[in-house]
């Protein structure tokens, strides 16, 4: 199975600040069809996860442009700019290139 | 608005069975693959099962293969997860999720506790 490693485990940021979360996969996430199926999810406290970013850098419907994804191969990054109170929660990366789909262990974002 | 509403969770003894249901609305159900994904208390996310839009093919990780069965009723817009031979490590919140492996929409989740 593809192992997804997220860093840091947690981070604290001031409102209006910017943060980056790293996700590294144990194998390349480039599919035979040329697509890279790397997604980012946010699980707010007491809620279900929600999709933020798919295929590395595409924002899902209704997601603010404060969220951006980048990367290739095995190294990926989620950036959140102008952090707002509603951004707190646990962020997960996930891969869908190889079965079984797997997720990182999460990065907890706290607001200072 | 896409909605996924799970039911059927609860407390069950090890070795027993439980069946979860997920009623979908707000989209054309039979156009989409569907999945179940779970989250143990205080832990991360684990994919549990997927099914094609027609129901003709199903997929499972080794951790549940042979014990869990995913199915669907497209006429009733409903997804199911039959869980047999339950173990303590199956204790988790189970989410109905659309369009694996993208998982673009998630239900509110249903708790399953396996304990004697």
């Amino acid at each position: 199975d593809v192992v997804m490693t997220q860093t840091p485990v947690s981070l604290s940021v001031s409102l209006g600040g910017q943060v980056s979360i790293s996700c590294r996969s144990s194998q390349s996430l480039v599919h035979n069809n040329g697509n890279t199926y790397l997604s980012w999810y946010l699980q707010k406290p007491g809620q279900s996860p929600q999709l933020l970013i798919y295929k590395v850098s595409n924002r899902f419907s209704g997601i603010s442009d404060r969220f951006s994804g980048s990367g290739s191969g095995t190294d990926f990054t989620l950036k959140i700019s102008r952090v707002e109170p509603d951004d707190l929660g646990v962020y997960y990366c996930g891969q869908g290139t190889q079965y079984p789909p797997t997720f990182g262990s999460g990065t907890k974002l706290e607001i200072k | 608005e896409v909605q996924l509403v799970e039911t059927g969770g609860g407390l069950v003894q090890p070795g027993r069975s439980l069946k979860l249901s997920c009623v979908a609305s707000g989209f054309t159900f039979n156009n989409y693959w569907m999945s179940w994904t779970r989250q143990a208390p205080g832990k991360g996310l684990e994919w549990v099962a997927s099914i094609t839009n027609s129901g003709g093919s199903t997929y499972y990780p080794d951790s549940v293969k042979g014990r869990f069965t995913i199915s669907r009723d497209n006429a009733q817009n409903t997804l199911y997860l039959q869980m047999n031979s339950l173990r303590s490590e199956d204790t988790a919140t189970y989410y109905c999720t659309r369009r694996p492996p993208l998982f673009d929409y998630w239900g509110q989740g249903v708790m399953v506790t396996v304990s004697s």
Side-chain angles (χ1 to χ4, degrees):
Chain A
D1 297 0
V2 177
V3 176
M4 306 296 289
T5 302
Q6 281 184 241
T7 55
V9 172
S10 65
L11 71 166
S12 182
V13 62
S14 299
L15 294 176
Q18 177 175 294
V19 296
S20 292
I21 300 170
S22 173
C23 177
R24 187 165 290 181
S25 58
S26 61
Q27 303 172 35
S28 173
L29 297 186
V30 180
H31 193 276
N32 290 340
N33 64 15
N35 288 315
T36 300
Y37 296 100
L38 185 284
S39 300
W40 290 96
Y41 306 85
L42 166 60
Q43 186 171 30
K44 298 179 182 179
Q47 295 187 21
S48 310
Q50 62 178 105
L51 177 65
L52 300 175
I53 301 283
Y54 64 97
K55 286 199 285 186
V56 180
S57 59
N58 296 274
R59 278 184 296 275
F60 189 54
S61 174
I63 300 303
S64 168
D65 60 5
R66 298 185 299 103
F67 294 88
S68 63
S70 63
S72 63
T74 61
D75 287 296
F76 305 93
T77 301
L78 174 70
K79 287 186 179 177
I80 312 167
S81 60
R82 306 185 304 280
V83 170
E84 299 179 356
D86 195 44
D87 297 338
L88 73 88
V90 180
Y91 290 81
Y92 294 95
C93 61
Q95 70 82 22
T97 295
Q98 294 191 27
Y99 261 74
T102 49
F103 299 90
S105 52
T107 296
K108 186 174 184 178
L109 177 65
E110 298 173 324
I111 308 297
K112 284 181 184 174
Chain B
E1 179 193 4
V2 172
Q3 287 198 15
L4 302 169
V5 179
E6 304 96 334
T7 57
L11 174 63
V12 60
Q13 293 179 329
R16 303 299 290 263
S17 299
L18 201 63
K19 187 172 185 176
L20 307 182
S21 300
C22 168
V23 175
S25 61
F27 64 102
T28 304
F29 184 65
N30 60 14
N31 282 354
Y32 290 87
W33 288 40
M34 297 293 295
S35 278
W36 290 94
T37 305
R38 70 184 179 184
Q39 185 172 37
K43 302 295 185 182
L45 303 169
E46 180 187 17
W47 167 72
V48 171
S50 291
I51 187 167
T52 57
N53 55 320
S54 67
S57 294
T58 56
Y59 305 87
Y60 308 91
D62 289 344
S63 58
V64 308
K65 195 175 295 181
R67 300 188 300 122
F68 289 13
T69 302
I70 188 173
S71 62
R72 64 192 296 162
D73 182 341
N74 284 343
Q76 299 294 323
N77 288 351
T78 304
L79 179 73
Y80 302 100
L81 184 67
Q82 176 68 48
M83 303 183 291
N84 298 332
S85 303
L86 282 162
R87 306 167 180 167
S88 59
E89 55 263 37
D90 296 319
T91 294
T93 297
Y94 285 74
Y95 296 102
C96 174
T97 47
R98 195 183 80 160
R99 206 174 163 193
L102 182 65
F103 308 116
D104 61 352
Y105 286 97
W106 299 61
Q108 87 286 353
V110 61
M111 185 69 198
V112 173
T113 302
V114 183
S115 175
S116 54

